[in-house]
Amino acid sequence: MNKNAKELNLIVKNENPIVYSMLSKKGREIFFPKNGIIAQSAEAKDSDINASIGIAFNDDNSPLILDIISKKLKLKNKNAFTYAPSYGKPQLRKKWKEMILKKNPSLFDNISLPVVTSGLTHGHSIFKYLFIEDEIIIPDPFWGNYNLIFTNGQSTKIKKFPLFSDGFNITDLEKMLNSDGEKKVLLFNFPNNPTGYTPTTKEVEMIVEVIKNSAKNGKKIVVICDDAYFGLVYEKGIYQESIFSKLANIHKNVLAVKVDGVTKEDYAWGFRIGFITFGTKDGNEKLYSALADKAAGVVRKSISSACHLSQTFLLDAFEDPNYEKEKNENYKILKNRYKMVKKVLAKYDNKYFDPLPFNSGYFMCLKLKGVDAEKVRQKLLKKYNTGVIAIDDKLRIAFSSAPLSKIEKLFENIYLTCKEEMK
Ligand SMILES: Cc1ncc(COP(=O)(O)O)c(C=O)c1O
């Protein structure tokens, strides 16, 4: 095993043997190459003659770039064209951590500095690399890409349990956590894709209780919180913070990992910027720094570093006085669509479909009765010029992308199609 990896493992083991036991084989082997090209270039950064880094510079030390690209940018060239660190821009990491704490007031300031990823999908891959060996527990339905991320071409299995059973399915969560095996890896995604469900505050308390009890009984639990749609909660009584707030400081046998980013939260889908952040009871600087080193090692080996241009853009945006205001305007647009969906649905009988519970996010699902979802989808597209997603026996409706004025028509088309298909 590499010397750097051994050193990191020693730190993690000394500071927190439980977190060490949670690391996968690959997670133990990964490290950030402290003495490699990046580190050596950083040391040479201010030298008179710097012939270290693989970036081209002009004779005056500005980046050697193409004007056709730079003239489209208002940013300083060096903040866009050069590489960002594999960990992400330090100011952005600090800012995002401050923002996490502000958006989650009950979260103790005992979490790691976030490491910048190239979107949330990349954050999941890093998580997989560090912690998953054979299985991950996920409430079903879930975002289909988890199949590719966690299982495709690998021996890992997704152990699913039904998300709903008269609200959030606490009973099956408990069974899953208390099944054989000491280490449990669990994924929560609220607001959920595809259902648009976030648990109520009461349900979150029950979830936390169940996890805490399993931890007390000796289970070592790593929970990844996929917070892609954070902040888009539309009803009172629904948990407003990330469940990470509750889990990051709950018990020494629980490591909470937050994967989030600007993709949906800040309406910047193509910027490809996400974050991975760690929290555990009694976690300390040394432990968090070693975990960040490991995460940055996976960044370095997979994409080297996330887009510098996007990181600079975002840092500027977060400091802008209009940031909160503009976000709130977008939130209102989505909330109005959500309300319209609820209003329209109230007009329909439950002959052909039942809406699954929803209260947040971008989506809602209709569970179809006696009609084939894929056939309905195809007919909707061909006959009614209406696009939705078919998932097993459900249709996923993204009200995030449908204009308010067309929501009534959208459900009318679905109802008519189901009726025709039933005949
Ligand atoms: C639940 C969930 N997580 C993660 C992502 C992916 O985010 P990104 O585009 O930043 O990789 C999505 C995108 O649809 C999602 O629905």
Side-chain angles (χ1 to χ4, degrees), residues 118-122 124 143 146 189 191 193 226 228-229 263-264 269 272-273 363:
S118 184
L120 281 86
T121 307
H122 184 221
H124 283 296
W143 181 43
Y146 293 148
N189 162 227
N193 176 5
D226 177 337
Y229 301 90
T263 308
K264 324 268 175 177
W269 306 271
R272 309 313 301 141
I273 297 297
F363 313 104

Side-chain angles (χ1 to χ4, degrees), residues 8 17 57 65 73 84 89 141 149 151 169 188 206 217 230 264 278 301 319 338 377 385 390 399 402 411 413:
L8 287 180
F57 286 101
I65 52 172
L73 285 178
K89 265 174 105 73
I149 299 170
T151 70
N169 184 356
F188 286 137
M206 291 197 282
N217 291 334
F230 178 87
K264 324 268 175 177
F278 307 96
K301 86 187 277 300
E319 305 289 357
Y338 161 83
R377 182 190 75 82
N385 215 0
F399 53 81
F411 283 92
N413 291 349

Side-chain angles (χ1 to χ4, degrees), residues 33-47:
K34 289 282 182 203
N35 311 317
I37 294 170
I38 303 258
Q40 293 182 31
S41 313
E43 276 182 48
K45 188 164 68 67
D46 298 321
S47 50

Side-chain angles (χ1 to χ4, degrees), residues 22 111 127 221-225 243-250 254-258 277-281 288:
M22 291 166 170
I111 55 172
F127 176 81
I221 307 166
V222 194
V223 191
I224 174 169
C225 309
I243 196 164
F244 178 77
S245 289
K246 299 266 188 206
L247 300 174
N249 196 45
I250 174 191
V254 177
L255 173 69
V257 182
K258 182 170 175 26
T277 309
F278 307 96
T280 187
K281 196 172 170 68
Y288 289 143

